[in-house]
Amino acid sequence: MSQPVITLWSDANFFSPYVLSVYVALKEKGLNFTTETVDLAAGQQLQPGWKGYDFTRRVPLLAVDEFVLSESSAITEYLEERFAPPTWERIYPVDIEKRARARQIQAWLRSDLMPIREERSTDVVFGGVKKPALSPAGVKAAEKLFATAESVLPVGQQNLFGEWSIADTDLALMLNRLVLNGDAVPERLQEYAAFQWQRASVQRFIARSAKRTG
């Protein structure tokens, strides 16, 4: 099946949780794409030589032929509509309310829980780094994460909505910031995060991270 030329821009180490989300979406869709990297630590994205999206100069950045888009949740929603089921694999729930909930979870994970994101950066997840104990603010954020995750994850289920969606990968990433650091996480959520982490598309991304840092 013919498709446009697709390029995904990532940080140099493939440590971005948002690049992970888009990478997994592309893999789950069965789309062919190439990856390019930009060195964020060196400020390469701010240099005029980088052919990134001028509006944000952030990764992930997706180019589909001449169309360029940034911000991970906008990209995954675009991919779902541009490469729509049933021709392409689905990454959001069929049911409209469940699909809205998946998008809500994605937006929440990107806008809240800042102490976790600051104290458990993704070098814990992808680089094996261990961080010190959470601050009181971090503990409070973790408690909020656990309460919310347990409220939306059906008991006895391994996916949020009966079948996998991209929101499962995003939620598992946030939980694994804590799980992989050795922090106390409810057993049900540990099992959920471990199950989601074994998905082939996620493992391919992890292999890219390991290759960059090994």
Side-chain angles (χ1 to χ4, degrees):
M1 185 181 299
S2 62
Q3 65 167 67
V5 176
I6 301 175
T7 303
L8 171 63
W9 285 85
S10 170
D11 60 294
N13 291 329
F14 286 85
F15 273 19
S16 167
Y18 311 119
V19 172
L20 165 69
S21 189
V22 175
Y23 183 97
V24 167
L26 288 163
K27 286 291 187 183
E28 295 290 341
K29 282 286 182 186
L31 294 165
N32 296 318
F33 64 99
T34 59
T35 56
E36 298 284 351
T37 60
V38 58
D39 190 341
L40 303 181
Q44 187 179 355
Q45 77 279 16
L46 303 176
Q47 302 303 313
W50 185 53
K51 297 179 180 179
Y53 189 38
D54 291 340
F55 184 65
T56 61
R57 293 195 171 271
R58 298 182 352 154
V59 296
L61 179 79
L62 188 75
V64 179
D65 285 340
E66 300 302 315
F67 178 66
V68 179
L69 185 66
S70 64
E71 301 304 315
S72 58
S73 58
I75 293 172
T76 56
E77 290 181 29
Y78 164 74
L79 290 172
E80 184 76 328
E81 296 179 6
R82 174 66 176 79
F83 302 98
T87 303
W88 306 91
E89 293 298 319
R90 184 177 297 281
I91 60 172
Y92 283 95
V94 177
D95 179 82
I96 190 170
E97 278 79 22
K98 290 181 178 179
R99 190 160 64 248
R101 185 71 71 207
R103 288 168 171 162
Q104 178 190 11
I105 290 168
Q106 285 187 294
W108 173 64
L109 292 170
R110 286 158 172 74
S111 62
D112 201 350
L113 308 173
M114 183 58 74
I116 296 176
R117 289 187 276 157
E118 291 179 342
E119 298 178 35
R120 296 292 182 267
S121 57
T122 53
D123 53 3
V124 169
V125 178
F126 302 120
V129 174
K130 298 300 181 183
K131 303 286 187 177
L134 290 169
S135 68
V139 171
K140 186 175 181 179
E143 291 172 349
K144 182 178 182 180
L145 170 62
F146 302 154
T148 302
E150 291 193 310
S151 72
V152 296
L153 178 63
V155 175
Q157 296 295 312
Q158 295 176 313
N159 298 301
L160 290 169
F161 304 107
E163 59 182 0
W164 177 86
S165 78
I166 192 61
D168 284 299
T169 297
D170 290 346
L171 179 56
L173 181 283
M174 184 62 77
L175 289 167
N176 272 331
R177 291 176 185 263
L178 299 165
V179 172
L180 297 177
N181 193 68
D183 297 302
V185 177
E187 183 177 0
R188 186 163 78 95
L189 298 182
Q190 289 187 46
E191 293 173 352
Y192 163 79
F195 176 80
Q196 295 298 331
W197 224 235
Q198 292 308 308
R199 199 166 184 89
S201 55
V202 176
Q203 285 296 308
R204 290 191 185 101
F205 185 87
I206 292 171
R208 298 294 298 267
S209 301
K211 184 177 180 180
R212 289 283 178 167
T213 58

Coordinates of all heavy atoms in Angstrom, one line a residue, residues 120-174:
R120 N 11.7 12.3 38.5 CA 11.9 11.0 37.8 C 11.9 11.2 36.3 O 11.1 10.8 35.6 CB 10.7 10.0 38.2 CG 10.7 9.7 39.7 CD 11.8 8.8 40.1 NE 11.7 8.5 41.5 CZ 12.3 9.2 42.5 NH1 13.0 10.3 42.3 NH2 12.2 8.8 43.8
S121 N 13.0 11.9 35.9 CA 13.2 12.1 34.5 C 13.3 10.8 33.7 O 13.6 9.7 34.3 CB 14.4 13.0 34.2 OG 15.5 12.4 34.7
T122 N 13.2 10.8 32.4 CA 13.2 9.6 31.6 C 14.5 8.9 31.5 O 14.6 7.8 30.9 CB 12.6 9.8 30.2 OG1 13.3 10.9 29.6 CG2 11.1 10.1 30.3
D123 N 15.6 9.5 32.1 CA 16.9 8.8 32.1 C 16.7 7.6 33.1 O 17.5 6.6 33.1 CB 18.1 9.6 32.4 CG 17.9 10.5 33.7 OD1 16.9 10.4 34.4 OD2 18.8 11.3 34.0
V124 N 15.7 7.7 34.0 CA 15.4 6.5 34.8 C 14.8 5.4 34.0 O 15.2 4.2 34.1 CB 14.3 6.9 35.9 CG1 13.8 5.7 36.6 CG2 15.0 7.9 36.9
V125 N 13.9 5.8 33.1 CA 13.2 4.8 32.3 C 14.1 4.2 31.2 O 14.2 3.0 31.0 CB 12.0 5.4 31.6 CG1 11.3 4.4 30.7 CG2 11.0 5.9 32.7
F126 N 14.8 5.0 30.5 CA 15.6 4.6 29.3 C 17.1 4.4 29.6 O 17.8 3.8 28.8 CB 15.4 5.5 28.2 CG 13.9 5.7 27.8 CD1 13.3 6.9 27.8 CD2 13.2 4.6 27.4 CE1 12.0 7.0 27.5 CE2 11.9 4.6 27.0 CZ 11.3 5.9 27.0
G127 N 17.6 5.1 30.7 CA 19.0 5.0 31.0 C 19.4 4.3 32.2 O 20.6 4.1 32.5
G128 N 18.4 3.8 33.0 CA 18.7 3.0 34.2 C 19.3 3.8 35.3 O 19.8 3.2 36.3
V129 N 19.1 5.1 35.3 CA 19.6 6.0 36.4 C 18.6 5.8 37.6 O 17.4 5.6 37.4 CB 19.6 7.4 35.9 CG1 20.0 8.4 37.0 CG2 20.6 7.6 34.8
K130 N 19.2 5.9 38.8 CA 18.4 5.8 40.0 C 18.4 7.2 40.7 O 19.5 7.8 40.8 CB 19.0 4.8 41.0 CG 19.0 3.3 40.4 CD 17.6 2.9 40.1 CE 17.6 1.5 39.6 NZ 16.2 1.0 39.2
K131 N 17.3 7.6 41.1 CA 17.1 8.9 41.7 C 16.9 8.8 43.2 O 16.4 7.7 43.7 CB 15.9 9.7 41.1 CG 16.1 9.8 39.6 CD 17.1 10.9 39.2 CE 17.0 11.2 37.7 NZ 18.0 12.3 37.3
P132 N 17.1 9.8 44.0 CA 16.8 9.8 45.5 C 15.3 9.8 45.7 O 14.5 9.9 44.8 CB 17.5 11.1 46.0 CG 17.6 12.0 44.8 CD 17.8 11.1 43.6
A133 N 15.0 9.7 47.0 CA 13.6 9.6 47.4 C 12.8 10.8 46.9 O 13.4 11.9 46.8 CB 13.5 9.4 48.9
L134 N 11.6 10.6 46.7 CA 10.7 11.6 46.3 C 10.5 12.7 47.4 O 10.5 12.4 48.5 CB 9.3 11.1 45.9 CG 9.1 10.3 44.7 CD1 7.8 9.6 44.6 CD2 9.3 11.1 43.4
S135 N 10.4 13.9 46.9 CA 10.1 15.0 47.8 C 8.6 14.9 48.3 O 7.9 14.1 47.7 CB 10.3 16.4 47.1 OG 9.3 16.5 46.1
P136 N 8.2 15.7 49.3 CA 6.8 15.6 49.7 C 5.9 15.9 48.5 O 4.8 15.3 48.4 CB 6.7 16.7 50.8 CG 8.1 16.7 51.4 CD 9.0 16.4 50.3
A137 N 6.3 16.9 47.7 CA 5.5 17.2 46.5 C 5.4 16.0 45.5 O 4.4 15.7 44.9 CB 6.0 18.4 45.8
G138 N 6.6 15.3 45.4 CA 6.6 14.1 44.5 C 5.7 13.0 45.1 O 5.1 12.3 44.3
V139 N 5.8 12.8 46.4 CA 4.9 11.8 47.0 C 3.4 12.1 46.7 O 2.6 11.2 46.4 CB 5.2 11.7 48.5 CG1 4.1 10.8 49.2 CG2 6.6 11.1 48.7
K140 N 3.1 13.4 46.9 CA 1.7 13.8 46.7 C 1.3 13.5 45.2 O 0.2 13.1 45.0 CB 1.5 15.2 47.1 CG 0.1 15.7 47.0 CD 0.0 17.2 47.5 CE -1.5 17.7 47.5 NZ -1.6 19.1 48.0
A141 N 2.2 13.9 44.3 CA 1.9 13.7 42.9 C 1.8 12.2 42.6 O 0.9 11.8 41.8 CB 3.0 14.3 42.0
A142 N 2.6 11.4 43.2 CA 2.5 9.9 43.0 C 1.2 9.4 43.5 O 0.6 8.5 42.8 CB 3.7 9.2 43.7
E143 N 0.8 9.8 44.6 CA -0.5 9.4 45.2 C -1.7 9.7 44.2 O -2.6 8.9 44.0 CB -0.7 10.0 46.6 CG 0.2 9.4 47.6 CD 0.2 10.1 48.9 OE1 -0.5 11.2 49.0 OE2 0.7 9.6 49.9
K144 N -1.6 10.9 43.7 CA -2.6 11.3 42.7 C -2.6 10.5 41.5 O -3.6 10.0 41.0 CB -2.4 12.8 42.3 CG -3.4 13.4 41.4 CD -3.2 14.8 41.1 CE -4.2 15.4 40.2 NZ -4.0 16.9 39.9
L145 N -1.4 10.2 41.0 CA -1.2 9.3 39.8 C -1.8 7.9 40.1 O -2.6 7.4 39.3 CB 0.3 9.2 39.4 CG 0.6 8.1 38.4 CD1 0.0 8.4 37.0 CD2 2.1 8.0 38.2
F146 N -1.5 7.3 41.2 CA -2.0 6.0 41.5 C -3.5 6.0 41.7 O -4.2 5.1 41.1 CB -1.4 5.5 42.8 CG 0.1 5.4 42.8 CD1 0.8 5.5 44.0 CD2 0.8 5.3 41.7 CE1 2.2 5.5 44.0 CE2 2.2 5.2 41.7 CZ 2.9 5.3 42.9
A147 N -4.1 7.0 42.3 CA -5.5 7.0 42.5 C -6.2 7.2 41.2 O -7.2 6.5 40.9 CB -5.9 8.2 43.5
T148 N -5.7 8.0 40.3 CA -6.4 8.2 39.0 C -6.2 7.0 38.2 O -7.2 6.6 37.5 CB -5.7 9.5 38.3 OG1 -5.9 10.6 39.2 CG2 -6.4 9.7 37.0
A149 N -5.0 6.4 38.1 CA -4.8 5.2 37.3 C -5.7 4.1 37.7 O -6.2 3.4 36.9 CB -3.3 4.8 37.3
E150 N -5.8 3.9 39.0 CA -6.6 2.8 39.5 C -8.1 3.0 39.3 O -8.9 2.1 39.1 CB -6.4 2.6 41.0 CG -5.0 2.0 41.3 CD -4.8 1.5 42.7 OE1 -5.1 2.2 43.6 OE2 -4.3 0.3 42.9
S151 N -8.5 4.3 39.2 CA -9.9 4.6 38.9 C -10.3 4.4 37.4 O -11.4 4.1 37.1 CB -10.2 6.0 39.3 OG -9.6 7.0 38.4
V152 N -9.3 4.5 36.5 CA -9.6 4.4 35.1 C -9.3 3.0 34.6 O -9.7 2.6 33.5 CB -8.9 5.5 34.2 CG1 -9.4 6.8 34.6 CG2 -7.4 5.4 34.4
L153 N -8.4 2.2 35.3 CA -8.0 0.9 34.8 C -9.0 -0.1 35.4 O -9.0 -0.3 36.6 CB -6.6 0.6 35.2 CG -6.1 -0.8 34.9 CD1 -6.0 -1.0 33.3 CD2 -4.7 -1.1 35.5
P154 N -9.8 -0.8 34.5 CA -10.8 -1.8 35.0 C -10.1 -2.9 35.8 O -9.0 -3.4 35.3 CB -11.5 -2.3 33.8 CG -11.3 -1.2 32.8 CD -9.9 -0.6 33.1
V155 N -10.6 -3.3 36.8 CA -10.1 -4.4 37.6 C -10.0 -5.7 36.7 O -10.9 -6.0 36.0 CB -10.9 -4.7 38.9 CG1 -10.4 -5.9 39.6 CG2 -10.9 -3.5 39.8
G156 N -8.8 -6.3 36.8 CA -8.7 -7.6 36.0 C -8.3 -7.4 34.6 O -8.2 -8.3 33.8
Q157 N -8.2 -6.1 34.1 CA -7.9 -5.8 32.7 C -6.4 -5.3 32.6 O -5.8 -4.8 33.5 CB -8.8 -4.7 32.2 CG -10.3 -5.1 32.2 CD -10.6 -6.2 31.2 OE1 -10.1 -6.2 30.1 NE2 -11.3 -7.2 31.7
Q158 N -5.9 -5.6 31.4 CA -4.5 -5.2 31.1 C -4.4 -3.9 30.2 O -3.3 -3.5 29.9 CB -3.7 -6.3 30.5 CG -3.6 -7.5 31.4 CD -2.9 -8.7 30.8 OE1 -3.3 -9.1 29.7 NE2 -1.9 -9.3 31.4
N159 N -5.6 -3.5 29.8 CA -5.7 -2.2 28.9 C -6.8 -1.3 29.5 O -7.7 -1.8 30.2 CB -6.0 -2.6 27.5 CG -4.9 -3.4 26.8 OD1 -3.8 -3.0 26.8 ND2 -5.3 -4.6 26.4
L160 N -6.7 -0.1 29.3 CA -7.6 0.9 29.8 C -9.0 0.7 29.3 O -10.0 0.9 30.0 CB -7.1 2.3 29.5 CG -5.9 2.8 30.3 CD1 -5.4 4.1 29.7 CD2 -6.2 3.0 31.8
F161 N -9.1 0.4 28.0 CA -10.4 0.4 27.3 C -10.8 -0.9 26.7 O -11.5 -1.0 25.7 CB -10.4 1.5 26.3 CG -10.1 2.9 26.8 CD1 -8.8 3.4 26.6 CD2 -10.9 3.5 27.7 CE1 -8.5 4.7 27.1 CE2 -10.6 4.8 28.3 CZ -9.4 5.3 28.0
G162 N -10.3 -2.0 27.3 CA -10.7 -3.3 26.7 C -9.7 -3.8 25.7 O -9.6 -5.0 25.5
E163 N -9.2 -2.9 24.9 CA -8.1 -3.2 24.0 C -7.1 -2.1 24.0 O -7.4 -1.0 24.4 CB -8.7 -3.4 22.5 CG -9.4 -2.1 22.0 CD -10.0 -2.4 20.6 OE1 -9.9 -3.5 20.1 OE2 -10.7 -1.4 20.1
W164 N -5.9 -2.4 23.5 CA -4.8 -1.4 23.6 C -5.2 -0.1 22.9 O -5.8 0.0 21.8 CB -3.5 -1.9 23.0 CG -2.4 -1.0 23.0 CD1 -1.5 -0.8 24.0 CD2 -2.0 -0.1 22.0 NE1 -0.6 0.2 23.7 CE2 -0.9 0.7 22.4 CE3 -2.6 0.2 20.7 CZ2 -0.3 1.7 21.6 CZ3 -2.0 1.2 19.9 CH2 -0.9 1.9 20.4
S165 N -4.7 1.0 23.5 CA -4.7 2.3 22.8 C -3.4 3.1 23.1 O -2.7 2.7 24.1 CB -6.0 3.2 23.2 OG -5.7 3.8 24.5
I166 N -3.2 4.1 22.4 CA -1.9 4.9 22.7 C -1.9 5.5 24.1 O -0.8 5.7 24.6 CB -1.8 6.0 21.6 CG1 -0.4 6.6 21.6 CG2 -2.8 7.0 21.7 CD1 0.8 5.6 21.3
A167 N -3.1 5.7 24.7 CA -3.1 6.2 26.1 C -2.5 5.2 27.0 O -2.0 5.6 28.1 CB -4.5 6.5 26.5
D168 N -2.6 3.9 26.7 CA -1.9 2.9 27.6 C -0.4 3.1 27.6 O 0.2 3.0 28.7 CB -2.3 1.5 27.1 CG -3.7 1.1 27.4 OD1 -4.0 1.0 28.6 OD2 -4.5 0.8 26.5
T169 N 0.2 3.3 26.5 CA 1.6 3.6 26.4 C 2.0 4.8 27.2 O 3.0 4.8 28.0 CB 2.1 3.7 25.0 OG1 1.8 2.5 24.3 CG2 3.6 4.0 24.9
D170 N 1.2 5.9 27.1 CA 1.5 7.1 27.8 C 1.4 6.9 29.3 O 2.3 7.4 30.1 CB 0.6 8.2 27.3 CG 0.9 8.7 25.9 OD1 2.0 8.3 25.4 OD2 0.1 9.4 25.3
L171 N 0.3 6.2 29.8 CA 0.2 6.0 31.2 C 1.2 5.1 31.8 O 1.8 5.3 32.8 CB -1.2 5.4 31.5 CG -1.6 5.2 32.9 CD1 -1.4 6.4 33.8 CD2 -3.0 4.6 33.1
A172 N 1.6 4.0 31.0 CA 2.6 3.1 31.5 C 4.0 3.8 31.6 O 4.7 3.5 32.5 CB 2.7 1.9 30.5
L173 N 4.2 4.7 30.7 CA 5.5 5.5 30.8 C 5.5 6.3 32.1 O 6.6 6.3 32.8 CB 5.6 6.4 29.6 CG 6.9 7.3 29.4 CD1 6.9 8.5 30.3 CD2 8.2 6.5 29.6
M174 N 4.5 7.0 32.4 CA 4.4 7.7 33.7 C 4.6 6.9 34.9 O 5.4 7.2 35.8 CB 3.2 8.5 33.8 CG 3.1 9.5 35.0 SD 4.4 10.8 35.0 CE 3.7 11.9 33.8

